[in-house]
Each structure stands twice: as structure tokens, then as C-alpha cells.
């Protein structure tokens, strides 16, 4: 993995089940050390975690644990993650699944998504990326509710993750869906320089061809809406990437 730093839940939306109990996530990977690292990062979000090392165990644990989401390796020692998801979806058709695998060929991604996977992260990966993508899946699935902490704030800029409204200095700012996701990623990492590669992977994922100039284009769009006529918050670090910080 590119990073073993676990993320903290502080300052993020408090995702919980509708009854107020912690989110439940099942982590399935036959690499025990990797499963433990992912589980540790997710526990730091305040979630309840169970793990499994093979397909049969994953199906058994899922039936007992009733997870809200699954982090699933495609390559397992007994049968594939694609078979696991097929079995899980017979009982929980809308169960969000994040595939975690070293197989990064386009045909493997297509196979995973066709089988019902909701997102796909290839090794090596950062724990931050896994947490962010899993939070996004949980939100889209509507199986969890967000507490009052769902508003991100950096300086006089605020972003409400539930209503998808953005304000700066009290003034409402209209953003497209992609602009919103880009700004959310920047605001989740204030004062941190993010490379074009990181932004491409997080915002566009595998749905985009990977041309770095799309990042430059959308950064310019954001600047026109966020910084126009104001002290700038979005800054370029030549040769490194972009950073958002309070004006």
C-alpha cells in the first residue's frame, strides 16, 4: 500500500445506522496483515468491523453479522470474490461492495462491476482512499444516516455533504456534480498538497481515461466560482499539485 496511516473520524460526518448504532463493515482478504490494517482504519471511523479470510467464511460471517458494506478481495483461496458477492446479494440485493484487489486489468474491473461491485480499488492503495470510497458508497446506498458533522468547513467556505450546498462567506455557490466532488476531496484534506494523480484517482476513478489536464480544467472552474473576487483559497504547488487552505 502507498500508506499505512489510518484516518481519523474527527471532522467528518458521523455515519451511523438508522437506529443510531455503529456502521458494520465486513473485510474479506486472505492477506491477514492487510485485512488487519484496513480493519484498523475503519475502526478509527467508529465502525464495527468483522473480517474473513476466504469465501466460505465471508458468506457465513455476513449472514451472522449483517454488514452495511463489504470490502472484498477478488482473489480468495477457495472461490472468487465474484462468487462471494453473488451469494451475498441473494440475501442482501443492495449491499454495497468495494472490491480490493491486485488485479487492475480493465476486463477484471468490468467483471467486478458487472457482478455487482459498487467500486474498485487496486493494490497498492492508501487507507485514506479506502475509507473515503467506502464512506461514499455508504452514503449513496442510503443504509446509513449522517450526524450534524456532515458539514465540512475550511475558513469561510462550507460544504454540506447531505444537501450538497456550498457557501463562501455566506454566499451560495452553484457547482456541478464533478466540481462538488473535487471540492469535497480538497476540503477533506485542507492544507495538504494533493497531486493530479491522487485527484484523478479519487474524483474520476476508473471512469476517466486518466488525462491530467482534466484536473487543471476543473481546478480552473472551481477557482472561478470559489475564489473569484475573493482572497484565493485554492493554490498551485508547481510540480506537486494543489492545496486548499483558509484565506
Amino acid at each position: 500500500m502507498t500508506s499505512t496511516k489510518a484516518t481519523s473520524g474527527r471532522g467528518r460526518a458521523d455515519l451511523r445506522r438508522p437506529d443510531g448504532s455503529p456502521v458494520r463493515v465486513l473485510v474479506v482478504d486472505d492477506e491477514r496483515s492487510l485485512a488487519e490494517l484496513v480493519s484498523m482504519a475503519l475502526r478509527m471511523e467508529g465502525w464495527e468491523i468483522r473480517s474473513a479470510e476466504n469465501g466460505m467464511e465471508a458468506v457465513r460471517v455476513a449472514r451472522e453479522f449483517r454488514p452495511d458494506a463489504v470490502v472484498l478481495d477478488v482473489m480468495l483461496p477457495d472461490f472468487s470474490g465474484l462468487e462471494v458477492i453473488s451469494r451475498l446479494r441473494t440475501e442482501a440485493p443492495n449491499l454495497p461492495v468495494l472490491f480490493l484487489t491486485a488485479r487492475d486489468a480493465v476486463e477484471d474491473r468490468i467483471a467486478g462491476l458487472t457482478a455487482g461491485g459498487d467500486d474498485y480499488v487496486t493494490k497498492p492503495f492508501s487507507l485514506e482512499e479506502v475509507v473515503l470510497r467506502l464512506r461514499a458508497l455508504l452514503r449513496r446506498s442510503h443504509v446509513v444516516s449522517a450526524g450534524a458533522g456532515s458539514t465540512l468547513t475550511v475558513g469561510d467556505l462550507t460544504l454540506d455533504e447531505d444537501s450538497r450546498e456550498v457557501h463562501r462567506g455566506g454566499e451560495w455557490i452553484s457547482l456541478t456534480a464533478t466540481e462538488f466532488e473535487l471540492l469535497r476531496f480538497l476540503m477533506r484534506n485542507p492544507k495538504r498538497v494533493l497531486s493530479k494523480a491522487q485527484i484523478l484517482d479519487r474524483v474520476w476513478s476508473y471512469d476517466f481515461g486518466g488525462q491530467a489536464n482534466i484536473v487543471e480544467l476543473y481546478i480552473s472552474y472551481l477557482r472561478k466560482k470559489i475564489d473569484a473576487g475573493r482572497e484565493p483559497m485554492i493554490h498551485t504547488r508547481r510540480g506537486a499539485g494543489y492545496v486548499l487552505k483558509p484565506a
Side-chain angles (χ1 to χ4, degrees), residues 171-215:
E171 181 181 343
W172 177 69
I173 298 172
S174 176
L175 299 179
T176 66
T178 301
E179 290 168 350
F180 181 88
E181 291 302 327
L182 174 55
L183 181 62
R184 175 157 57 179
F185 186 44
L186 293 172
M187 292 184 70
R188 282 188 177 278
N189 296 275
K191 300 182 180 180
R192 176 184 174 189
V193 177
L194 301 170
S195 70
K196 291 180 181 178
Q198 287 176 306
I199 294 172
L200 270 174
D201 186 62
R202 175 65 184 90
V203 178
W204 280 270
S205 188
Y206 42 74
D207 294 325
F208 187 75
Q211 298 179 15
N213 60 3
I214 195 70
V215 176

Side-chain angles (χ1 to χ4, degrees), residues 25-225:
V25 180
L26 172 61
V27 178
V28 185
D29 198 306
D30 60 332
E31 295 181 54
R32 182 171 298 179
S33 60
L34 180 58
E36 289 175 352
L37 283 172
V38 173
S39 297
M40 174 188 67
L42 300 183
R43 286 192 181 97
M44 291 188 70
E45 294 289 307
W47 300 345
E48 188 176 349
I49 309 300
R50 294 287 186 276
S51 61
E53 296 184 4
N54 57 59
M56 288 298 295
E57 185 182 8
V59 172
R60 177 182 60 78
V61 172
R63 286 173 176 164
E64 299 172 355
F65 185 47
R66 299 293 180 184
D68 300 303
V70 179
V71 178
L72 178 63
D73 190 3
V74 170
M75 300 296 292
L76 295 171
D78 48 1
F79 50 83
S80 77
L82 303 183
E83 175 65 20
V84 172
I85 192 175
S86 175
R87 297 190 185 192
L88 296 183
R89 286 281 171 81
T90 61
E91 299 182 15
N94 299 315
L95 179 66
V97 175
L98 173 66
F99 276 129
L100 195 70
T101 178
R103 301 175 65 181
D104 58 359
V106 173
E107 57 269 24
D108 292 326
R109 297 184 181 189
I110 293 174
L113 296 175
T114 302
D118 299 284
D119 206 347
Y120 203 114
V121 179
T122 56
K123 303 173 186 177
F125 55 83
S126 69
L127 294 177
E128 171 76 7
E129 178 185 6
V130 172
V131 171
L132 286 173
R133 292 201 183 196
L134 196 53
R135 290 179 70 89
L137 287 183
L138 286 164
R139 283 184 169 280
R140 293 203 299 268
S141 69
H142 303 296
V143 297
V144 299
S145 60
S150 61
T151 298
L152 303 177
T153 302
V154 178
D156 63 349
L157 181 65
T158 61
L159 180 150
D160 190 307
E161 296 186 298
D162 293 327
S163 67
R164 300 183 72 84
E165 293 183 348
V166 175
H167 294 81
R168 181 167 183 191
E171 181 181 343
W172 177 69
I173 298 172
S174 176
L175 299 179
T176 66
T178 301
E179 290 168 350
F180 181 88
E181 291 302 327
L182 174 55
L183 181 62
R184 175 157 57 179
F185 186 44
L186 293 172
M187 292 184 70
R188 282 188 177 278
N189 296 275
K191 300 182 180 180
R192 176 184 174 189
V193 177
L194 301 170
S195 70
K196 291 180 181 178
Q198 287 176 306
I199 294 172
L200 270 174
D201 186 62
R202 175 65 184 90
V203 178
W204 280 270
S205 188
Y206 42 74
D207 294 325
F208 187 75
Q211 298 179 15
N213 60 3
I214 195 70
V215 176
E216 299 173 9
L217 181 63
Y218 272 85
I219 287 289
S220 71
Y221 292 161
L222 269 188
R223 280 179 167 147
K224 290 176 183 177
K225 296 183 177 183

